[in-house]
Amino acid sequence: MSHPASRDMPLTDVASFVQHLQSSKRIVALLGAGLSASSGLPTFRGAGGLWRTYDATMLATPQAFQRDPGLSWQFYSYRRHMALNAKPNRAHLALAELARRNPAFITLSQNVDGLSPRANHPAGQLKLLHGNLFDVKCWDEHRCGYSRKNDFTDPIVPALALPTENPDSDLKAAAEKKKHALLRGADISDINVEIPQLKREDLPQCPSCKKNLLRPGVVWFGESLPEDVMSDVDDYFSDREKIDLMLVIGTSAKVYPAAGYTSIARAKGARVAVINMDRGDARELTKDDWFFEGDAAVIIPDILKTVVGEIGEFDDTKGPAL
Ligand code: BJW
Ligand code: ZN
């Protein structure tokens, strides 16, 4: 006899999930920072959400950029560097494979780290809700209109080189110092390394209006999500056909509109599977849903295996060139 309190508890067995997955056609995945955690990239909230002494979510606003563009660019330059040096994990690869095998599968990613594109996730099925660290645009986007995509230059301007590099020392000593600094994990996130005060003229400049600074092509609080992305997502959700399954992976689901897509999918018939390290971040699950607790990089390839096959580690030589 089951305990009354367990009546609304989500399922946790892989077998019932796999059975539903195999008969699912329209599948939505909502991705968050936890997906890239085991690739070595920090999350926003909780223990990982501090960059030096700054709360990452406090830096994610247009006001923070306006107040101190040098600080903001150092935060984003550090994140670009970390993301470029990280590799997609087996969950990024498994989701990319699911997309290739199922054209009715759509992924809504809140991540800006470029790991899903580097895992060869089909671009038409990957909607980047919060933009991309490797896109840059004019600060005055609406008046000037300048933007460029896939700029992987690291650092994007010389002044944004990680401050462990000492331009005064000879090249060999600098290279040696950098190697050791990286080996012990020291970089701009190291609180012992002072953040340099950068001059405005040394930050990335808009080559079109020649007046404004460039800014990262990410979506900050209070800003609208990209129009083309929103229109594709709206089209998917307004299709008359039901949605079979929604995967909510490595997100605290606190930021809107992303967090609202789960209830929209549910209203269209979807059963929901949450994959997260923290049970507290899986809210409003019913007895028809699933909760898988642990590292997404381990769980996702496992629960998708019958559809995507065995997923190996990322092979640098096969990914798209950066
Ligand atoms: C693991 C793991 C492992 C760890 N394996 N799991 C409706 C109601 C209330 C407010 C609003 C609303 N509609 C709009 C708003 C305002 C606002 C908002 O949502 N505020 C909330 C705080 C309430 N939204 C907006 O402003 C959005 N714009 C908008 O709606 O425009 C229209 C509008 C404007 C103004 C007013 C009204 C409407 C824009 C939101 C942009 C968010 N941008 C950021 C920064 C991007 C740039 C950058 O990268 O710096 O996006 S904020 C940050 O949060 C980032 C993330 O994508 C996003 C979500 O975070 P995520 O991915 O969930 O990370 P964490 O750290 O929170 O969670 C990690 C999870 O992983 C945890 O659960 C861990 O347990 C788990 N985990 N390791 C599996 N190994
Ligand atoms: Zn401009």
Side-chain angles (χ1 to χ4, degrees):
M1 198 178 79
S2 70
H3 189 275
S6 69
R7 263 192 325 214
D8 285 337
M9 294 288 270
L11 301 161
T12 54
D13 68 300
V14 178
S16 62
F17 172 83
V18 166
Q19 196 182 14
H20 184 68
L21 172 72
Q22 284 175 338
S23 62
S24 291
K25 186 175 138 219
R26 298 230 306 151
I27 307 175
V28 182
L30 174 68
L31 313 182
L35 174 71
S36 299
S38 84
S39 293
L41 301 182
T43 58
F44 284 88
R45 293 165 188 83
L50 272 191
W51 173 68
R52 302 175 62 99
T53 53
Y54 300 93
D55 176 337
T57 60
M58 301 300 281
L59 289 170
T61 68
Q63 293 78 14
F65 186 88
Q66 227 167 356
R67 199 180 311 121
D68 192 344
L71 179 72
S72 176
W73 259 120
Q74 286 179 81
F75 173 56
Y76 283 100
S77 183
Y78 166 70
R79 304 250 315 273
R80 286 166 58 98
H81 179 80
M82 292 290 284
L84 280 174
N85 287 284
K87 288 181 180 174
N89 63 51
R90 291 174 62 240
H92 294 103
L93 299 172
L95 291 164
E97 185 60 29
L98 181 61
R100 278 187 289 275
R101 293 185 188 221
N102 178 358
F105 168 48
I106 190 174
T107 294
L108 316 179
S109 180
Q110 300 173 86
N111 297 344
V112 296
D113 54 32
L115 292 185
S116 288
R118 280 174 57 204
N120 270 330
H121 199 115
Q125 288 163 268
L126 178 66
K127 304 298 160 193
L128 299 179
L129 301 176
H130 295 164
N132 188 325
L133 283 174
F134 303 101
D135 295 347
V136 288
K137 57 188 184 185
C138 180
W139 160 258
D140 196 352
E141 189 187 359
H142 298 297
R143 248 181 290 183
C144 167
Y146 179 82
S147 69
R148 68 174 183 257
K149 286 192 176 294
N150 300 326
D151 182 337
F152 300 109
T153 320
D154 180 30
I156 188 163
V157 289
L160 287 168
L162 295 186
T164 47
E165 293 174 53
N166 180 356
D168 296 333
S169 60
D170 66 76
L171 278 177
K172 190 159 173 265
E176 203 49 28
K177 193 172 167 198
K178 184 180 178 190
K179 194 173 96 192
H180 286 290
L182 289 174
L183 279 176
R184 65 183 164 80
D187 48 43
I188 194 171
S189 74
D190 185 336
I191 201 142
N192 298 313
V193 178
E194 206 180 317
I195 298 190
Q197 281 288 332
L198 301 182
K199 295 199 214 83
R200 188 184 163 90
E201 57 266 33
D202 291 336
L203 298 175
Q205 308 286 323
C206 177
S208 179
C209 67
K210 299 191 167 54
K211 187 173 72 162
N212 297 310
L213 292 178
L214 290 175
R215 55 160 283 182
V218 297
V219 181
W220 285 325
F221 282 116
E223 295 184 323
S224 309
L225 278 62
E227 253 172 51
D228 53 339
V229 170
M230 290 308 279
S231 140
D232 290 350
V233 175
D234 287 347
D235 287 351
Y236 190 91
F237 280 112
S238 54
D239 193 298
R240 284 181 55 229
E241 241 184 285
K242 74 187 278 269
I243 295 175
D244 303 296
L245 175 64
M246 170 105 189
L247 306 168
V248 181
I249 306 171
T251 176
S252 60
K254 290 192 170 115
V255 173
Y256 288 83
Y261 291 130
T262 307
S263 40
I264 303 179
R266 206 188 276 288
K268 296 204 60 120
R271 292 175 72 181
V272 177
V274 172
I275 297 89
N276 200 299
M277 288 288 252
D278 183 351
R279 176 67 178 90
D281 280 346
R283 288 172 292 272
E284 291 164 26
L285 293 182
T286 73
K287 61 175 179 32
D288 295 322
D289 298 328
W290 294 268
F291 177 65
F292 298 111
E293 183 172 359
D295 180 7
V298 175
I299 294 174
I300 295 294
D302 182 41
I303 61 176
L304 298 183
K305 192 160 66 189
T306 57
V307 176
V308 302
E310 203 59 66
I311 301 290
E313 293 295 331
F314 179 65
D315 180 352
D316 278 299
T317 57
K318 283 195 197 147
L322 281 180

